[in-house]
Amino acid sequence: AQTVTQSQPEMSVQEAETVTLSCTYDTSENNYYLFWYKQPPSRQMILVIRQEAYKQQNATENRFSVNFQKAAKSFSLKISDSQLGDTAMYFCAFMKLRGDDKIIFGKGTRLHILP
Amino acid sequence: GAVVSQHPSWVICKSGTSVKIECRSLDFQATTMFWYRQFPKQSLMLMATSNEGSKATYEQGVEKDKFLINHASLTLSTLTVTSAHPEDSSFYICLGVAGGEETQYFGPGTRLLVL
């Protein structure tokens, strides 16, 4: 069975700083997807970034980038130039390669961006 | 673009009554719909997986007779909480997946409060 671990329940950083959220996972699969989802107070789940395990290049989306270390089963999210609107819960998630397989979520990290 | 609508957005009901939550996929066909439950300050926990035209697969510990899932068409899946009790109060969220694709779309969620 797959597991996703987020070891930082809560973090706070000053606006404009860079912050890194940690995520490790466990799987025997070789091909899979990893995700970071943002859940603001509205509770709508928003996809931040997605990484295909078969791609060595780290995914980036504007201020968001990941450090994907497949051998170490690590998938951290870096937010650069953090903004007040980045305040939210962030969930790391895993899915097998098949698109209709379930997504397993970590417990989440609550991120506060301070003015 | 493709989205998933979810209704109602929130509902308050008396203990012992049943509540139906609908998720509709817009501009895409959701061959698979995942149903998650999220308690306050916790992560999303998968309840069940439903594929269009077949019976839902429930996660361990989820009562299939209490949480009835119907996925009669490629654009509509419903979750009925039968004989709801206060401990069923939670945030319920659906996730639609287009067949054979890795793209998923979350509904906006339903807040259920059982008095």
Side-chain angles (χ1 to χ4, degrees):
Chain A
Q2 285 68 229
T3 60
V4 179
T5 302
Q6 293 179 251
S7 59
Q8 303 151 311
E10 198 160 358
M11 298 181 71
S12 296
V13 295
Q14 294 292 136
E15 188 177 10
E17 290 185 349
T18 295
V19 60
T20 299
L21 280 59
S22 301
C23 174
T24 59
Y25 59 95
D26 190 25
T27 183
S28 58
E29 300 286 325
N30 189 48
N31 293 316
Y32 46 87
Y33 293 100
L34 295 165
F35 309 89
W36 278 98
Y37 276 95
K38 171 184 179 180
Q39 189 180 42
S42 69
R43 303 188 82 170
Q44 170 73 60
M45 296 291 285
I46 300 168
L47 178 63
V48 175
I49 202 164
R50 181 179 71 191
Q51 174 81 44
E52 290 90 342
Y54 54 87
K55 290 185 178 180
Q56 293 186 341
Q57 186 173 7
N58 289 325
T60 63
E61 286 290 342
N62 300 314
R63 298 183 294 108
F64 299 88
S65 62
V66 297
N67 183 2
F68 173 48
Q69 301 291 328
K70 190 173 184 179
K73 296 181 181 175
S74 172
F75 184 62
S76 61
L77 174 69
K78 186 173 78 172
I79 306 175
S80 303
D81 186 26
S82 57
Q83 301 175 358
L84 297 178
D86 296 333
T87 293
M89 279 289 290
Y90 287 82
F91 293 101
C92 179
F94 171 99
M95 186 181 77
K96 293 180 185 178
L97 188 62
R98 277 175 56 83
D100 57 356
D101 206 350
K102 56 189 176 184
I103 298 179
I104 305 299
F105 289 89
K107 291 189 175 182
T109 296
R110 185 170 298 279
L111 177 64
H112 302 274
I113 307 300
L114 307 173
Chain B
V3 295
V4 172
S5 67
Q6 187 170 345
H7 296 280
S9 57
W10 68 282
V11 57
I12 301 174
C13 69
K14 293 182 178 180
S15 184
T17 61
S18 294
V19 175
K20 179 184 282 187
I21 301 170
E22 290 188 351
C23 276
R24 294 182 182 273
S25 57
L26 307 176
D27 292 334
F28 79 102
Q29 294 181 328
T31 54
T32 302
M33 192 73 79
F34 299 99
W35 286 92
Y36 290 85
R37 178 168 54 182
Q38 185 182 30
F39 291 108
K41 298 186 178 182
Q42 294 189 21
S43 186
L44 280 72
M45 299 302 296
L46 182 65
M47 299 176 65
T49 302
S50 72
N51 292 297
E52 184 264 339
S54 61
K55 289 185 177 180
T57 302
Y58 291 81
E59 295 298 301
Q60 191 173 9
V62 178
E63 301 175 57
K64 62 180 181 180
D65 294 330
K66 181 172 183 61
F67 299 98
L68 302 179
I69 291 173
N70 184 280
H71 194 165
S73 77
L74 290 172
T75 59
L76 175 63
S77 180
T78 62
L79 166 67
T80 302
V81 183
T82 62
S83 186
H85 291 284
E87 58 265 30
D88 298 324
S89 298
S90 188
F91 184 68
Y92 294 86
I93 189 166
C94 60
L95 172 63
V97 178
E101 299 182 16
E102 69 278 10
T103 308
Q104 323 92 32
Y105 304 96
F106 274 100
T110 297
R111 290 174 175 80
L112 171 63
L113 177 61
V114 184
L115 302 177

